[in-house]
Amino acid sequence: MFFDRPSSGELAILVHLNLYSESEPEDPKEFEELVISAGGVPASLLIGSKGTPNPRYFVGTGKLEELKQLVYEHCANLVIFNHSLSPSQERNLESELECRVLDRTGLILDIFAQRALTHEGKLQVELAQLQHMSTRLVRGWTHLERQKGGIGLRGPGETQLETDRRLLRYRIKSILKRLAKVRSQRNQGRRSREKAQIPTISLVGYTNAGKSTLFNRLSKAGVYVADKLFATLDPTMRRIELDNLGPVILADTVGFISHLPHKLIEAFKATLEETKNAKLLLHVVDAASEMRKINIKHVNDVLSEIGAIGLPTLIIYNKIDLVDQFKERIDRDENGRPTSVWLSAQTGLGCGLLFQAISEILAKDMMSKKIRLNPSMGKLRSILYTNNAVLDEKLEENGDFLLEVKTPKANYKRILKEAKINSNQLSEEH
């Protein structure tokens, strides 16, 4: 914040403390991957243990001296903490270390700022950044904290800090208005899909689990894929056709991470609503990761926060090509319902099983039957065709139409209502 971003990688000293007060400590390896994803060059990792954070510097005085020495030895211009720091802690550390200090939230925000490509994504990231920055303004303007008196120094009665805070409030207000418009447009598109009875399948999962690779495999969309944390930020939606089911909307979403900053969840609510309103969640898990059980819990925590924890979910164990002697398969519960699919999105192994599992889960909302329509029911026949609900048709000798119909149950009721025909008027064939 308030510093020009260098074009090349920055040498950074990384700091990770194992806090006894933390029930779920952060992962140092993931922290290092985050720094690399942001374009940083880790020069050294300082690890320590502490009961509770120091209120002034977060680390103790001994670790602070070690940090000073590491910054001096490596000529580092950045120190990054794998924890959330208060504004005063950041300010005090910068004063002691004489270089920039960034916490975990600021690091994730920086990665998001680099990855955002669409207008909506950039607005969402900027909102989260401004909300985070508003509490840290004093750091960049310590030389202008007070109004000065004297000849030539009398101002309008407002410090530079107050001016910046006011401008930030205006900008945040403006972005919120524009995001409200985006949300309205998303709601309109969602209502159109609901009216057409096209179900949405949303991909969710921990960052770098392979969601975008799977999305490309299923939809042939060509979404950007890289072995980086948060390689995909902007939501992508594609319409695909599933055998025996018809059209569905497949949505790729931003990856989750442990202790995802609340400001980001708030800023990305318009995007995450696609997940909240999905008919089915595909929870993609890195099967080769040692942390997969913990990562599943972190994803469920975020789903709970956005109100999507109770939705039908199919767990996708991805990257089985990295697991020795492992074959694709479908796991089922005691009722025979698919609960998880083991596959490799990279090689395509097991993707056919995924289509099978999706069809089985969504088929319970489908209705399939043969109905006989007399010539006076031409309007119903026309509406059925408009909704792609007719699989086969035969013309009988007496002029009746024998239709094989397959469509969501709710859609079938809506079609009958639109045609002003009661189900009792129809003759069903077996």
Side-chain angles (χ1 to χ4, degrees):
M1 321 299 181
F2 299 106
F3 297 90
D4 291 332
R5 182 179 178 82
S7 56
S8 59
E10 296 177 84
L11 272 179
I13 306 297
L14 314 187
V15 182
H16 172 85
L17 292 187
N18 293 311
L19 299 172
Y20 305 137
S21 57
E22 278 186 335
S23 57
E24 294 180 7
E26 306 290 1
D27 179 13
K29 185 180 176 183
E30 179 185 82
F31 175 41
E32 193 169 346
E33 290 176 2
L34 278 171
V35 173
I36 294 170
S37 291
V41 180
S44 180
L45 173 62
L46 181 64
I47 295 180
S49 298
K50 198 169 177 60
T52 55
N54 184 303
R56 185 168 175 79
Y57 298 112
F58 195 86
V59 294
T61 53
K63 285 294 177 189
L64 184 61
E65 289 303 317
E66 283 186 57
L67 257 180
K68 285 182 182 178
Q69 187 62 30
L70 286 171
V71 170
Y72 175 76
E73 286 177 4
H74 295 279
C75 298
N77 49 12
L78 179 62
V79 173
I80 308 176
F81 279 71
N82 194 20
H83 310 274
S84 293
L85 301 176
S86 69
S88 62
Q89 285 171 337
E90 279 191 17
R91 193 162 61 249
N92 294 335
L93 284 165
E94 285 189 345
S95 176
E96 288 290 329
L97 301 174
E98 297 181 347
C99 69
R100 279 193 302 136
V101 174
L102 202 62
D103 69 354
R104 182 181 172 87
T105 300
L107 176 63
I108 294 174
L109 285 171
D110 185 87
I111 295 172
F112 272 52
Q114 293 179 60
R115 302 284 191 270
L117 298 175
T118 64
H119 175 65
E120 177 190 353
K122 289 175 181 176
L123 282 178
Q124 290 168 326
V125 173
E126 186 181 356
L127 174 63
Q129 281 186 315
L130 291 177
Q131 290 172 334
H132 182 68
M133 192 189 298
S134 61
T135 60
R136 287 159 166 76
L137 274 177
V138 67
R139 178 176 67 176
W141 293 110
T142 50
H143 62 296
L144 293 171
E145 277 181 324
R146 298 184 181 181
Q147 300 171 24
K148 296 181 180 179
I151 298 172
L153 293 175
R154 296 184 181 91
E158 183 174 49
T159 65
Q160 182 65 50
L161 179 60
E162 289 167 340
T163 302
D164 273 21
R165 279 181 177 154
R166 178 168 50 82
L167 292 175
L168 269 183
R169 285 196 299 270
Y170 287 158
R171 180 62 182 161
I172 288 173
K173 192 175 180 181
S174 170
I175 291 174
L176 286 172
K177 274 187 179 179
R178 291 159 80 176
L179 283 176
K181 186 177 180 182
V182 169
R183 186 170 296 181
S184 174
Q185 291 168 343
R186 280 192 176 276
N187 286 337
Q188 187 175 358
R190 193 178 300 116
R191 284 193 297 269
S192 298
R193 292 194 298 274
E194 287 172 356
K195 187 176 180 182
Q197 290 297 313
I198 301 178
T200 298
I201 300 173
S202 185
L203 290 167
V204 298
Y206 207 75
T207 181
N208 208 27
K211 293 183 301 301
S212 294
T213 305
L214 182 60
F215 183 83
N216 286 339
R217 174 69 62 178
L218 299 181
S219 67
K220 300 177 176 61
V223 171
Y224 173 67
V225 173
D227 187 16
K228 294 179 181 176
L229 300 182
F230 299 116
T232 305
L233 180 59
D234 298 294
T236 309
M237 304 181 76
R238 290 290 184 274
R239 175 173 168 148
I240 62 174
E241 293 283 337
L242 294 181
D243 292 340
N244 302 321
L245 199 63
V248 298
I249 299 295
L250 189 65
D252 188 16
T253 59
V254 61
F256 300 157
I257 197 168
S258 62
H259 305 133
L260 189 67
H262 185 72
K263 294 182 180 69
L264 275 177
I265 296 175
E266 283 296 312
F268 278 77
K269 264 192 173 173
T271 301
L272 294 173
E273 276 176 5
E274 295 297 344
T275 298
K276 184 180 171 183
N277 290 278
K279 283 283 185 185
L280 176 65
L281 299 183
L282 300 184
H283 182 167
V284 184
V285 178
D286 183 350
S289 172
E290 297 175 357
M291 307 285 289
R292 71 185 190 202
K293 287 185 179 179
I294 297 172
N295 292 346
I296 288 173
K297 181 185 180 303
H298 289 315
V299 171
N300 287 336
D301 288 342
V302 178
L303 290 175
S304 178
E305 191 164 347
I306 64 174
I309 193 63
L311 294 176
T313 302
L314 181 65
I315 296 181
I316 311 299
Y317 289 105
N318 188 25
K319 304 186 183 181
I320 63 169
D321 53 312
L322 303 179
V323 182
D324 291 336
Q325 297 180 337
F326 207 93
K327 293 184 178 180
E328 72 276 20
R329 72 167 193 253
I330 297 178
D331 293 336
R332 300 175 182 274
D333 61 16
E334 61 274 10
N335 298 316
R337 180 185 179 277
T339 56
S340 60
V341 179
W342 297 75
L343 55 76
S344 169
Q346 185 69 39
T347 65
L349 187 68
C351 287
L353 294 179
L354 174 58
F355 283 124
Q356 178 187 329
I358 292 172
S359 296
E360 284 184 41
I361 293 170
L362 294 182
K364 65 179 183 179
D365 296 324
M366 300 292 289
M367 177 234 50
S368 180
K369 61 174 65 177
K370 288 183 179 180
I371 57 174
R372 181 182 296 276
L373 305 183
N374 61 49
S376 65
M377 296 178 177
K379 184 177 180 181
L380 173 58
R381 177 173 172 270
S382 173
I383 297 172
L384 286 168
Y385 269 102
T386 302
N387 283 267
N388 297 317
V390 180
L391 296 179
D392 190 29
E393 179 186 77
K394 289 181 182 177
L395 180 61
E396 302 285 276
E397 291 181 1
N398 62 353
D400 287 353
F401 293 98
L402 188 61
L403 300 182
E404 187 179 345
V405 176
K406 186 168 187 177
T407 190
K409 294 174 184 176
N411 193 39
Y412 185 62
K413 290 179 181 178
R414 183 188 62 80
I415 290 172
L416 293 181
K417 186 176 180 181
E418 186 179 341
K420 297 179 180 177
I421 289 180
N422 193 298
S423 58
N424 297 328
Q425 297 174 251
L426 295 175
S427 173
E428 295 186 13
E429 301 289 323
H430 299 285

